[in-house]
Every structure is written in C-alpha cells, then in structure tokens.
Amino acid sequence: MSDLEAPLRPKRKKIWVDYFVNFRWIIVIFVVLPISFTLYFLTYLGDVRSEMKSFKQRQKEHDENVKKVVKRLKQRNPSKDGLVCTARKPWIAVGMRNVDYKRARHFEVDLSAFRNVLEIDKERMIARVEPLVNMGQISRVTVPMNLSLAVVAELDDLTVGGLINGYGIEGSSHIYGLFSDTVVAYEIVLADGQLVRATKDNEYSDLFYAIPWSQGTLGLLVSAEIKLIPVKEYMKLTYKPVVGNLKEVAQAYIDSFAPRDGDQDNPEKVPDFVETMIYSPTEAVCMTGKYASKEEAKKKGNVTNSVGWWFKPWFYQHAEKALKKGEFVEYIPTREYYHRHTRCLYWEGKLILPFADQWWFRFLFGWLMPPKVSLLKATQGEAIRNYYHEMHVIQDMLVPLYKVGDALEWAHREMEVYPIWLCPHRLYKLPVKTMVYPEPGFELQRRQGDTYYAQMYTDVGIYYAPGPVLRGEVFDGAEAVRRMENWLIENHGFQPQYAVSELTEKNFWRMFDAGLYEHCRKKYGAVGTFMSVYYKSKKGRKTEKEVQEAEQAHLETAYAEVDQPAD
C-alpha cells in the first residue's frame, strides 16, 4: 500500500438514520429555510434600527445592560447555584459541538441585548462593538466607509464574542493573525461583578492575553475594541490552478503568499487575501486577492463578478472552473468577497441540500439560503447528532506552514475528505505564553512564511463526509478524530474548540498551554464561578459530579502543568 493509499474498509450496513439523513432535505426546505429567512430578515431590521440610534443612545443602553449583568452575577449564591453560563440555548452556537455543559445545573446570565455596533472611530481606526455583533452586521456598517475589520470571518452568522473567545480566521490572517490578534481592548465583567478594561499594556494585560481561546471561562465579554483597516471597493482575485501530488499542491499554496526570499512584510510581494481549495489528491486552485478601486475594476477589458447574488454559482464551484479554463482574474465587490462562502456554507450546503447548487434551485430558491446552522442543530435529535459525529467531519487542523504537506497526506489517508480549505495565519511570539503559541526557536529557523516576530501557520479545513462514508464503507469518526488530535499534539498543532473533540483532559493540556490561563482563573476569581475551558469544550453531557469537580477548580490535577507567568 502506498503512503497515500487509504486502508480497505468493509461495507457498512445501513440503519434507519441513514435514510432519515438522506431525506432530511424535506425538513430543511419546508421548515428550516423559511424560518431561517424570517430570522435573518428580523435580525436585519433590528440591526438597521440599532444603526439609526445615536452614539450616546447606544452607549447609554450598553451601560444599562452592563449594570444588569453585574446585578445578575451578584445575585448568584455559589453554594446553591451552578456555574455561570450565558442564557443562549445549547443549539444556537455555530459548530458541530453542542454546548452540552448547559444540560447540567448552571446559572444563566442573559447577554442577548449585546448586539450593537457601539462606535466606529475613524481617527483611532477602531470599531467598538458588543459580543453578539456578527460579521455580516459589521461589514454592512464599515465597508461603505471604505473601512473593514482587519480580519472578517467568512460566514455572516459568526459573532465577535465567539471569534474572540474561540477561534476566528480569514484570508487576511497571514498578515494580521487570528481574529483575536486584531483586538486592542476587552471590556470584561469578572466573577465578582467588577467591570474592567483589559489592554496589552495596562494592569489587566495578563487577562488581555488570556481571553482568546478561553471560551468565556475567565469572565463575561461585554464589548471589544477591534482594529480597522482602510479598504477599496473591489477585490482583484486571481485563480490559479495547481496539478500535482499533495506535497506539490502544498508548496504551490505556500508560494502563493510567502516569498522565498523571506520578504514576508513586503506588500508588493504578499497579497491582501489568500486561500486555496483542494478538490482532489491531485488538483487544487490557489486564490490570491488584492484590493482594487472601483475605477480599476470598471476599466475596459476587466471582468467583474458580483458573487453575492442568490442565483450565482456557489463560490467553491465557480473557483473550480480554473482547473479547466486555466488561470483567470476577476474583480469582486469587497463585501461580497468577504462573505463568499456564506450562502453554501463552504461546501456543506451540498450535503444538506444535494440539489441546491443546481441553476434552477439557485434561481427560484437561492434567496432563502443559507439555512441557519442553529436551526439545523435544533431540528436534529440525539440519534441524528451522534450520526453526524460518526459519519461527518467538521474539523480544522492548525499546523505550522512547513508541515502542510504532511497534514494533507495524513488527512487523505485517515479521512479522505474533499474539498479541503487552506488558509494561512500568523501565530505571534507574545510577551507571555498563551494557550496557543508558536514552536520554540522558530525565529532561528526562518522558514518560508516566518518572520522574527511570528510563525506562519495554516488552517487545514476538513468539512464534509469522508470518502469511506460516501462509498458506504465502515468509518469510525470518533477514532479518526482521536488520531487527528494525537497527530496535532505531536506536530505542535492545534484544534479549534468549536469542533467535536475526543481529547482527554491530559491531552487537552498537552495541546494547549495552561500556565497563563490557570493563573488568570485564580487571580480573577473565575474558579468556582465559570467552568474550566476543558469541561466546557468536553464532548458529552456534563453530570452533576463533573460540574462539582469543575466548581472545585481541579487545579490540583497533574494534567495542567502550570508555570506561573512573570508579572
């Protein structure tokens, strides 16, 4: 068997869930899509109403809502009430992992009012927003001003709070890092109800660095100040086909944005946006974008493409055309480019609605897309949910750039999922060691894409049904994820916590660093008030015993090898 050849697997017997999943599109079309569209429209109206309010009015409402949160926290009786959680329903979170910790005893704090853009400060180039502001909302406000967040995650529904406390990436992350790297200040309500503003150089700097990836287990985020950048009206996008083995595809991807001479900070050599989609073990399309003015886009001979229209081909299928027609260039309106994957949920839409990419469906019903992920989760029972955990993969492997080829070969052998999404991001060398951190000594190697201050990583996005499942063969999804997590630990990689995880507590703290996080848990009173990040992201229902263990901090465990950070 060759290195890339997947192991032979026996055929799998179908059960009733298989048939239900195959015909789930009926529920999606007649129930999920109409409700989704209604919710999107009502949310839009609420956003417009919010934008019509003055800055003073929005700030006044924000201050009043913060007082309610503080009051609610102070009402909690630690000896009787459970750990603090937001009042958001368990199925609303975007991602395969249901928030099972809410199925155990908990004390709810309602943050549903925190969905306003508080201020766009053009002088400081800062957007001050509340945690439930989503990417569609913020881009609708900023792009007409020729401004944008430095990192705008592709899906409209992703919220600021989720991207900060969890994981956020976009095609500009090879320049600006992850979403949390673009935040300059957090407004946090601590366990005791104290409201603090954390920045990288004030008295709460340790909290500032500990918040990302903490899943809201250090305090309640009530606003954030995020970096803005100037942008132009269009994105000049170049589609370049690549044919070869996975190692050759990986190298072509690296060369698309990382100069071989190491001049990684030169805007003449580095594009504004980067992504690659791998369609098979031998075919991929590398895309690089540069901001362009309306005047340039409209010049005679240039091709413009408004990909945001509901009847347009899905973006990943449009990009695939480069494999047949060769390299081509087109100009896409900037905001439409930002959200190019929203309507088809990358390529997950093909599994949810097998015919939704057909021209007739797009033309007649494309305006109803996409279905809200939260509603898809709400309409699936325990059996369906478990089926997707076993027969479906929605995972991201964050790996050092020079190991992308190895990661692709591993993913092919173990999961055989296509398309695969590649998106680079910087992992900064910070003054303190955070939960995710670059390889020690990376700056001495100066590999392609690295700088002295940041190591280049890549998100290998694996989202679809594995090849064995599509062929009707036996596939153990949980075991495949366990092997993936072990591979990441061995190769200094990371797994975003939105995904279904099989990590034990010991392996969780082998993958992530506990030092700063546990230091802040103790210092800011999170122990006994907020659940530990491992318990919060752990797969499965939380029992009362586990909740009590979390309340007692489990800091005496040897799993978290805690090094006290220097003050």
Side-chain angles (χ1 to χ4, degrees):
M1 185 170 70
S2 71
D3 287 345
L4 280 183
E5 193 174 337
L8 293 174
R9 295 179 172 93
K11 290 291 182 180
R12 173 180 165 271
K13 291 183 179 180
K14 287 190 175 183
I15 58 175
W16 70 269
V17 182
D18 292 281
Y19 299 101
F20 184 90
V21 169
N22 287 340
F23 291 97
R24 195 179 174 208
W25 59 267
I26 298 173
I27 296 175
V28 174
I29 287 181
F30 293 105
V31 178
V32 175
L33 282 182
I35 297 176
S36 292
F37 180 80
T38 303
L39 291 176
Y40 282 128
F41 183 67
L42 292 175
T43 301
Y44 170 75
L45 292 179
D47 294 344
V48 171
R49 189 161 56 247
S50 170
E51 292 162 18
M52 293 173 66
K53 297 175 184 176
S54 67
F55 162 70
K56 287 185 177 180
Q57 188 175 359
R58 276 178 277 177
Q59 183 60 48
K60 181 181 177 182
E61 290 179 2
H62 174 76
D63 293 340
E64 290 173 351
N65 289 328
V66 169
K67 290 178 182 176
K68 292 177 183 177
V69 171
V70 171
K71 180 180 178 181
R72 174 66 174 160
L73 274 176
K74 291 183 176 180
Q75 289 173 346
R76 176 176 173 266
N77 184 338
S79 63
K80 294 181 179 180
D81 298 322
L83 296 175
V84 172
C85 296
T86 64
R88 193 166 65 161
K89 298 301 180 184
W91 43 268
I92 286 181
V94 176
M96 281 292 284
R97 177 179 64 84
N98 274 36
V99 281
D100 292 309
Y101 57 88
K102 289 190 178 180
R103 301 175 191 272
R105 179 168 58 92
H106 61 280
F107 183 83
E108 291 187 347
V109 178
D110 187 5
L111 299 181
S112 60
F114 290 88
R115 52 168 302 104
N116 295 308
V117 177
L118 297 174
E119 182 182 13
I120 302 296
D121 189 332
K122 294 182 181 179
E123 291 186 7
R124 294 175 59 217
M125 290 296 282
I126 295 295
R128 184 165 174 261
V129 300
E130 293 180 323
L132 290 184
V133 168
N134 64 35
M135 293 298 98
Q137 182 182 357
I138 187 68
S139 65
R140 189 167 54 245
V141 172
T142 58
V143 171
M145 303 178 186
N146 281 358
L147 297 173
S148 173
L149 298 184
V151 174
V152 184
E154 283 86 355
L155 301 184
D156 282 24
D157 263 3
L158 296 174
T159 63
V160 167
L163 295 168
I164 287 172
N165 282 297
Y167 165 71
I169 190 173
E170 194 217 15
S172 60
S173 289
H174 65 295
I175 298 174
Y176 301 106
L178 298 176
F179 187 89
S180 55
D181 293 317
T182 67
V183 179
V184 298
Y186 300 110
E187 189 180 19
I188 303 287
V189 179
L190 300 178
D192 61 359
Q194 182 184 2
L195 180 67
V196 303
R197 181 175 180 269
T199 70
K200 65 181 179 181
D201 51 13
N202 72 1
E203 60 183 307
Y204 300 104
S205 61
D206 52 357
L207 183 63
F208 175 84
Y209 286 114
I211 289 292
W213 294 77
S214 67
Q215 296 290 324
T217 61
L218 295 173
L220 297 175
L221 177 70
V222 290
S223 77
E225 296 171 40
I226 309 173
K227 179 180 179 179
L228 289 169
I229 60 170
V231 300
K232 297 178 181 178
E233 296 90 347
Y234 280 81
M235 185 66 63
K236 179 184 179 182
L237 195 62
T238 301
Y239 304 79
K240 185 175 182 178
V242 178
V243 177
N245 61 41
L246 288 173
K247 284 289 179 69
E248 291 168 338
V249 166
Q251 189 58 54
Y253 156 72
I254 294 170
D255 290 338
S256 71
F257 69 93
R260 294 200 178 196
D261 62 5
D263 198 8
Q264 193 63 45
D265 289 322
N266 188 339
E268 298 298 319
K269 298 180 181 180
V270 179
D272 295 321
F273 276 78
V274 177
E275 70 176 334
T276 287
M277 287 183 277
I278 304 175
Y279 294 93
S280 76
T282 58
E283 294 179 317
V285 176
C286 296
M287 283 152 283
T288 54
K290 279 278 190 181
Y291 286 111
S293 66
K294 184 177 181 180
E295 291 72 25
E296 178 185 342
K298 297 296 184 179
K299 282 183 180 178
K300 187 176 180 181
N302 288 343
V303 176
T304 59
N305 183 9
S306 295
V307 299
W309 285 105
W310 76 88
F311 52 81
K312 287 282 190 172
W314 288 357
F315 183 76
Y316 82 96
Q317 294 177 340
H318 171 68
E320 191 177 7
K321 294 175 183 176
L323 293 173
K324 291 184 177 180
K325 67 184 291 187
E327 182 175 333
F328 67 97
V329 177
E330 63 184 12
Y331 292 79
I332 299 174
T334 295
R335 185 167 184 269
E336 295 182 26
Y337 175 76
Y338 285 161
H339 303 296
R340 62 199 177 278
H341 293 300
T342 291
R343 192 154 40 91
C344 53
L345 299 174
Y346 287 89
W347 29 88
E348 285 287 309
K350 184 70 174 172
L351 279 178
I352 298 165
L353 291 169
F355 43 78
D357 59 338
Q358 300 300 305
W359 68 268
W360 58 269
F361 186 94
R362 297 198 314 267
F363 185 78
L364 294 174
F365 304 109
W367 52 276
L368 287 169
M369 295 288 283
K372 285 186 78 72
V373 175
S374 57
L375 283 175
L376 291 171
K377 292 168 68 176
T379 56
Q380 67 183 28
E382 194 74 17
I384 305 298
R385 182 178 165 214
N386 291 335
Y387 176 91
Y388 280 121
H389 286 177
E390 288 296 323
M391 303 295 166
H392 200 92
V393 177
I394 296 185
Q395 296 284 346
D396 291 89
M397 302 172 66
L398 308 188
V399 300
L401 183 62
Y402 71 95
K403 292 185 177 180
V404 170
D406 294 336
L408 291 176
E409 290 187 342
W410 184 93
H412 178 83
R413 284 194 306 270
E414 298 293 336
M415 295 180 173
E416 202 180 339
V417 172
Y418 293 96
I420 287 177
W421 187 60
L422 298 183
C423 185
H425 70 91
R426 276 177 164 157
L427 197 54
Y428 289 98
K429 184 178 180 182
L430 299 173
V432 291
K433 192 175 183 182
T434 55
M435 281 184 67
V436 296
Y437 56 97
E439 292 179 299
F442 76 89
E443 67 275 21
L444 303 177
Q445 302 288 335
R446 291 304 297 269
R447 298 182 181 91
Q448 194 173 353
D450 293 352
T451 61
Y452 70 90
Y453 58 86
Q455 184 177 13
M456 195 67 74
Y457 265 62
T458 278
D459 181 337
V460 180
I462 308 174
Y463 327 121
Y464 209 64
V469 172
L470 296 175
R471 292 191 297 268
E473 299 170 358
V474 170
F475 182 78
D476 188 339
E479 181 57 30
V481 170
R482 274 190 285 270
R483 289 197 294 268
M484 181 197 78
E485 291 164 343
N486 288 334
W487 190 92
L488 287 173
I489 290 170
E490 292 167 3
N491 289 275
H492 201 83
F494 303 96
Q495 175 194 36
Q497 298 147 345
Y498 80 86
V500 176
S501 173
E502 301 291 337
L503 287 168
T504 63
E505 189 169 6
K506 182 176 182 180
N507 281 341
F508 184 89
W509 292 120
R510 287 178 63 206
M511 181 179 290
F512 301 102
D513 188 83
L516 178 66
Y517 172 74
E518 294 291 15
H519 165 78
C520 288
R521 288 264 296 166
K522 293 177 181 177
K523 180 177 177 181
Y524 296 106
V527 175
T529 301
F530 299 104
M531 187 173 287
S532 148
V533 67
Y534 171 73
Y535 276 88
K536 193 167 185 178
S537 57
K538 181 183 176 184
K539 177 183 173 183
R541 293 178 181 271
K542 273 58 177 176
T543 65
E544 191 68 22
K545 180 175 182 293
E546 286 179 316
V547 171
Q548 290 171 355
E549 288 174 353
E551 289 171 340
Q552 292 166 6
H554 75 281
L555 292 183
E556 63 276 4
T557 179
Y559 296 153
E561 298 175 3
V562 180
D563 297 319
Q564 286 292 89
D567 292 329

